[in-house]
Amino acid sequence: MATFPMNTPANSSEVIDEVWAKEILENRRNRLVMEQLVNHDYEGQIKNHGDTVHIISLPDLVAQDIVPGTEMTVTPVDPSEQLLVIDQYKVVPAEIQDMLMKQSTYDLRRPFTEKIGHALADAIDKFLLSRAVTGADVANVMTPVAKLTKQVLIDAHAKLDIKNVPTEGRALVINGVGKADLRSEPDFTWYDRTGESGLVKSAGFVGNIYDTPVYFTNQITKTDTNANWAFVLLHRDALTAAVQIEPEVETERRALAKSTIIAGSTLFGGKVIRPDHIVVIKRTV
């Protein structure tokens, strides 16, 4: 794989190919897990220009008793501000040799678009998962367990219930180790046994447990010194994400190398705005 500068010379034969861009976008969407599980409420505000969204939050208010003849206590409302910064600019370059294109009996565009789309999707998922794991409330990071069991999930949901996190909108994100654990849980229902054909199309969706959809991704990482897996139970309002530039494609002809460079890129950002809406379930290796 070759590397190349993004600022293409003015005299180059650079072309923007909409077919490539569309195919890469579809492949990226078919691979994404985390982006579909977070909110995009602020994406419209940043879609066309700017690099920062100012998110204003109001504190919770408490009802007071009314005592006849006594003035109420007025509490000043002090809004807080969070910043969603669009600062993740990713590119995936690939180079196709003319000889390979000519001698191959296969259509090479499809595998190249798949690879580029998958790489962009993996970058987005890895970023959002990292934010979820590191941005969760300390009280919501569970003690490591040897297996993802029914009781562990009950305890994880309890942490969200205590914070009045809505049940609807929750999701559990695991990897192959967690999926293997759930195979022995009778309450886990595989998607292909539910008849919900619409959900099958969601990237990474593998089933339900306790009315919570379960998603599989190998972007789950080992995040601490003990190398424990970090599974995530979260509500969609825990994180917000915005994609400012959907995957774009640039091609550059390298005449002296007798090859063509294809580069897919995207620009996005994400932030944890409700840390108490995330539970990190650590699973020992």
Side-chain angles (χ1 to χ4, degrees):
M1 181 175 293
T3 58
F4 64 100
M6 291 299 295
N7 51 334
T8 313
N11 61 349
S12 74
S13 55
E14 178 184 344
V15 215
I16 304 298
D17 193 325
E18 293 183 0
V19 176
W20 283 82
K22 181 180 178 181
E23 290 179 351
I24 288 175
L25 175 60
E26 289 304 313
N27 275 287
R28 195 211 72 181
R29 285 176 175 166
N30 291 338
R31 181 87 169 188
L32 280 168
V33 171
M34 283 298 295
E35 190 185 13
Q36 64 184 316
L37 303 181
V38 303
N39 82 48
H40 293 264
D41 296 347
Y42 308 99
E43 195 164 63
Q45 301 178 31
I46 201 73
K47 200 66 176 177
N48 298 320
H49 57 82
D51 63 355
T52 305
V53 177
H54 296 259
I55 303 172
I56 305 300
S57 301
L58 297 177
D60 293 333
L61 301 178
V62 179
Q64 302 176 29
D65 291 327
I66 295 178
V67 179
T70 303
E71 290 189 0
M72 69 186 76
T73 302
V74 179
T75 304
V77 177
D78 186 15
S80 60
E81 181 184 63
Q82 301 186 69
L83 302 179
L84 168 59
V85 181
I86 309 301
D87 59 355
Q88 300 298 305
Y89 199 14
K90 304 294 183 180
V91 63
V92 182
E95 184 175 9
I96 308 178
Q97 292 291 329
D98 290 355
M99 184 175 70
L100 179 62
M101 289 285 286
K102 187 66 175 178
Q103 295 181 347
S104 175
T105 58
Y106 302 99
D107 176 10
L108 290 180
R109 187 173 74 181
R110 182 174 298 278
F112 268 92
T113 57
E114 288 180 354
K115 292 292 186 180
I116 293 173
H118 288 181
L120 292 173
D122 287 349
I124 295 174
D125 265 12
K126 185 178 294 184
F127 173 79
L128 292 177
L129 267 171
S130 173
R131 287 294 185 273
V133 171
T134 58
D137 271 351
V138 175
N140 283 7
V141 178
M142 300 178 66
T143 302
V145 296
K147 186 178 181 181
L148 187 60
T149 64
K150 175 180 179 179
Q151 189 58 53
V152 171
L153 290 173
I154 290 173
D155 292 343
H157 277 287
K159 289 183 177 294
L160 298 184
D161 293 338
I162 292 172
K163 297 294 184 178
N164 294 318
V165 178
T167 301
E168 183 178 354
R170 296 183 189 182
L172 175 66
V173 184
I174 58 174
N175 63 3
V177 175
K179 187 165 67 171
D181 288 346
L182 292 180
R183 290 179 187 275
S184 61
E185 291 296 329
D187 293 314
F188 179 65
T189 305
W190 294 97
Y191 74 82
D192 54 0
R193 299 178 189 175
T194 65
E196 298 174 284
S197 57
L199 291 175
V200 178
K201 298 178 182 179
S202 298
F205 177 73
V206 292
N208 280 283
I209 187 164
Y210 307 133
D211 297 321
T212 301
V214 180
Y215 292 85
F216 163 81
T217 174
N218 278 321
Q219 294 303 319
I220 293 287
T221 57
K222 301 171 184 177
T223 58
D224 56 26
T225 55
N226 295 319
N228 296 309
W229 298 111
F231 305 150
V232 177
L233 174 66
L234 77 163
H235 187 272
R236 71 176 302 276
D237 289 337
L239 286 88
T240 188
V243 178
Q244 192 172 50
I245 299 179
E246 294 286 1
E248 295 182 334
V249 177
E250 291 180 320
T251 62
E252 178 186 344
R253 180 67 188 160
R254 299 184 67 196
L256 295 181
K258 301 299 292 181
S259 64
T260 300
I261 289 175
I262 306 104
S265 61
T266 187
L267 176 63
F268 64 95
K271 183 178 181 61
V272 173
I273 55 176
R274 293 181 179 269
D276 59 355
H277 282 40
I278 307 170
V279 176
V280 177
I281 305 171
K282 291 191 175 183
R283 162 64 155 85
T284 58
V285 178

